[in-house]
Amino acid sequence: MSYTQRVAEELKARYADQPEFVQAATEVLDSIEPALAAHPEYEAAGLLERLVEPERIVMFRVPWVDDKGQVQVNRGYRVEYNSAIGPYKGGLRFHPSVNLGILKFLGFEQIFKNSLTGLPMGGGKGGSDFDPKGKSDREVMAFCQSFMTELQRYIGPDTDVPAGDIGVGGREIGYMFGQYKRIRDEFTGVLTGKGLSFGGSLCRTQATGYGLVYFVATLLEDHKDSLEGKTVVVSGAGNVAIYAIEKAQQLGAKAVTCSDSTGWIYDPEGIDVALLKEVKEGKRARLTAYAEARPSAQYHEGRGVWSVPCDVALPCATQNELFLDDAKALVENGCKVVAEGANMPTTRDATEYLIDKKVAFCPGKAANAGGVAVSGLEMSQNSERLSWTFDEVDARLKTIMENIYTAVSSAASSAGFEGNLVVGANLAGFAKVAEAMYAQGIV
Ligand code: GLU
């Protein structure tokens, strides 16, 4: 059994109760065999056994009082996974499905994603099983303040810099930043995704969605093609989906779907982005409100966006939302590109099917790295106490996404896996982290 296989087997046995983590970690381990063959010294240094274990995990109680005066208790977490190439960096997710296994999968992915950006950021992730949906602003504030009262002990602008993820946007980051500043009495770039009036970066809100589409555009260009006239199918209706739709349409494609936790929209005339923003960002309403306001839109209960014929599919909702049957339907309907805006939205068997059928499959750790990349640019701006223009940040984002595509596709080719961007992303992301870990000794 090879070194990577042995570590994968140990993980499966030890963490059988963390299926998403095992899924994410074994996919990486299965791809990086060529890197381990080229560096036998890594095995002697126990590098993989160290890589798969977080440097530190903090878990804490988050008590808060709801609008009825009742005490509520949630669980809070921060997984500080790997700091070999920079301070821990990664989002906070507030969603009822959050548990340690989910955050370990997200934190592990983040290590390689952050490495691919070319910026000096380690990997981390955190969050809570708190559900912001249906809560008043005061309840969200009370929760965020209590969460930060504990989290502030472990983070700092040169130690660990959280940001948003599902359920954590500008409102939540603002409340958490205010509480951090109050307790620590310092105004620093400890969080990214901040409001523009207190150190946030222009283009951070758009970054993940725009970056995803820049990645796809670069891939198409490499195949002498473009987004012009393409039909794009998108899942999700959060900021990744919204800004992926916006950028795809700016580049001449027609995005015809989006979805939320209760249903999905098919709008053959193309999604009206201004209306979608009003429904989701403004009113925090359901997609039924979009359908009510737009005659061309059809609303369907449940899931189903992958049944719509398209050239490009962009899963931008959450993990494990695109299954083998969905992959078969996409291929059957002529889909040529699947690019992950969410983290691990495609199951392993669906991923393998798409790659086997020669669909250009762009894994999230490469394709959705634009969000954390602009977080890295926000950290730079905070450190130099300057703010850059929208166009400057957007131009840097585009260059970063182009560089990631080039790094990933050439890593795949050099390893003999031409066009396999999963293998390419894992190899390219691993190389820098492994070199840094090895150089720093057994820590
Ligand atoms: N949550 C985002 C991600 O999955 C962004 C993290 C960040 O900006 O730190 O990459």
Side-chain angles (χ1 to χ4, degrees):
M1 206 188 281
S2 71
Y3 181 33
T4 52
Q5 283 167 339
R6 180 161 53 76
V7 174
E9 289 312 312
E10 283 165 11
L11 273 189
K12 284 181 208 162
R14 181 171 296 117
Y15 296 115
D17 57 340
Q18 298 178 348
E20 294 85 2
F21 168 59
V22 170
Q23 183 185 342
T26 52
E27 184 213 271
V28 171
L29 290 168
D30 291 349
S31 318
I32 58 174
E33 197 107 32
L36 277 306
H39 292 280
E41 71 277 17
Y42 288 171
E43 181 169 0
L47 196 132
L48 294 181
E49 291 88 335
R50 290 187 286 129
L51 180 72
V52 295
E53 284 298 331
E55 290 174 17
R56 184 179 304 103
I57 296 175
V58 290
M59 293 172 63
F60 48 93
R61 174 172 81 198
V62 190
W64 57 283
V65 179
D66 69 17
D67 284 348
K68 295 191 196 95
Q70 262 161 13
V71 176
Q72 301 287 340
V73 179
N74 287 97
R75 280 131 297 275
Y77 308 81
R78 186 72 181 164
V79 179
E80 297 185 330
Y81 223 119
N82 191 297
S83 63
I85 66 167
Y88 310 107
K89 181 81 197 86
L92 297 169
R93 176 176 291 193
F94 292 169
H95 191 271
S97 65
V98 163
N99 58 42
L100 187 55
I102 296 274
L103 294 178
K104 278 178 65 186
F105 122 61
L106 290 163
F108 190 75
E109 290 275 295
Q110 201 81 44
I111 302 169
F112 306 96
K113 184 195 303 196
N114 294 3
S115 166
L116 286 171
T117 65
L119 301 173
M121 300 181 290
K125 204 85 186 192
S128 174
D129 57 359
F130 172 75
D131 187 0
K133 208 180 286 170
K135 303 287 191 300
S136 69
D137 284 352
R138 195 214 58 84
E139 288 176 319
V140 170
M141 182 173 74
F143 174 81
C144 288
Q145 291 180 338
S146 181
F147 183 84
M148 186 51 86
T149 300
E150 184 62 27
L151 185 68
Q152 58 87 21
R153 300 163 191 271
Y154 311 103
I155 63 176
D158 294 312
T159 310
D160 182 356
V161 183
D165 194 80
I166 293 172
V168 178
R171 175 182 60 170
E172 292 75 15
I173 293 289
Y175 293 147
M176 288 190 278
F177 184 77
Q179 186 73 350
Y180 181 88
K181 186 163 61 63
R182 186 182 187 198
I183 297 173
R184 299 278 291 252
D185 194 22
E186 60 179 40
F187 195 113
T188 54
V190 67
L191 295 169
T192 60
K194 298 183 291 298
L196 297 178
S197 54
F198 53 98
S201 175
L202 285 160
C203 196
R204 176 62 188 89
T205 311
Q206 294 83 352
T208 314
Y210 278 20
L212 175 68
V213 175
Y214 291 146
F215 189 93
V216 171
T218 310
L219 169 116
L220 289 171
E221 208 178 291
D222 194 30
H223 293 84
K224 314 271 171 282
D225 199 352
S226 81
L227 274 164
E228 188 70 47
K230 297 277 188 299
T231 299
V232 178
V233 154
V234 179
S235 64
N239 80 314
V240 181
I242 291 173
Y243 293 98
I245 293 170
E246 181 170 280
K247 183 53 73 179
Q249 297 192 340
Q250 285 171 8
L251 298 185
K254 189 193 261 189
V256 294
T257 65
C258 59
S259 65
D260 65 13
S261 55
T262 50
W264 59 285
I265 294 284
Y266 174 52
D267 192 339
E269 285 182 16
I271 297 289
D272 177 340
V273 181
L275 175 61
L276 183 61
K277 285 183 192 171
E278 189 186 311
V279 168
K280 284 289 164 187
E281 293 178 341
K283 301 186 188 142
R284 298 183 189 273
R286 292 192 189 283
L287 283 174
T288 43
Y290 177 96
E292 277 156 23
R294 176 114 167 137
S296 59
Q298 300 164 19
Y299 177 80
H300 303 270
E301 293 281 325
R303 55 191 299 285
V305 296
W306 314 126
S307 63
V308 174
C310 66
D311 304 297
V312 175
L314 305 177
C316 299
T318 192
Q319 68 272 359
N320 293 333
E321 52 148 325
L322 197 164
F323 300 98
L324 181 58
D325 283 345
D326 303 318
K328 288 181 178 166
L330 286 168
V331 170
E332 177 92 30
N333 288 330
C335 175
K336 293 281 178 286
V337 179
V338 174
E340 297 185 319
N343 291 314
M344 204 172 73
T346 317
T347 60
R348 183 80 187 261
D349 53 359
T351 303
E352 275 157 15
Y353 181 84
L354 292 167
I355 292 173
D356 190 50
K357 294 291 172 200
K358 303 276 175 269
V359 171
F361 180 83
C362 312
K365 61 172 79 72
N368 75 30
V372 76
V374 173
S375 277
L377 302 181
E378 183 171 329
M379 291 166 72
S380 301
Q381 293 169 78
N382 292 164
S383 296
E384 59 176 16
R385 301 193 195 283
L386 289 174
S387 37
W388 307 341
T389 63
F390 188 96
D391 289 347
E392 186 173 354
V393 179
D394 188 34
R396 285 186 190 236
L397 167 66
K398 188 161 180 277
T399 306
I400 290 171
M401 298 315 296
E402 290 165 355
N403 291 344
I404 295 176
Y405 175 76
T406 308
V408 166
S409 66
S410 53
S413 311
S414 341
F417 290 86
E418 183 85 36
N420 186 329
L421 303 183
V422 171
V423 169
N426 290 333
L427 280 171
F430 174 74
K432 183 177 169 189
V433 175
E435 191 184 315
M437 284 179 72
Y438 188 73
Q440 291 170 31
I442 313 296
V443 289

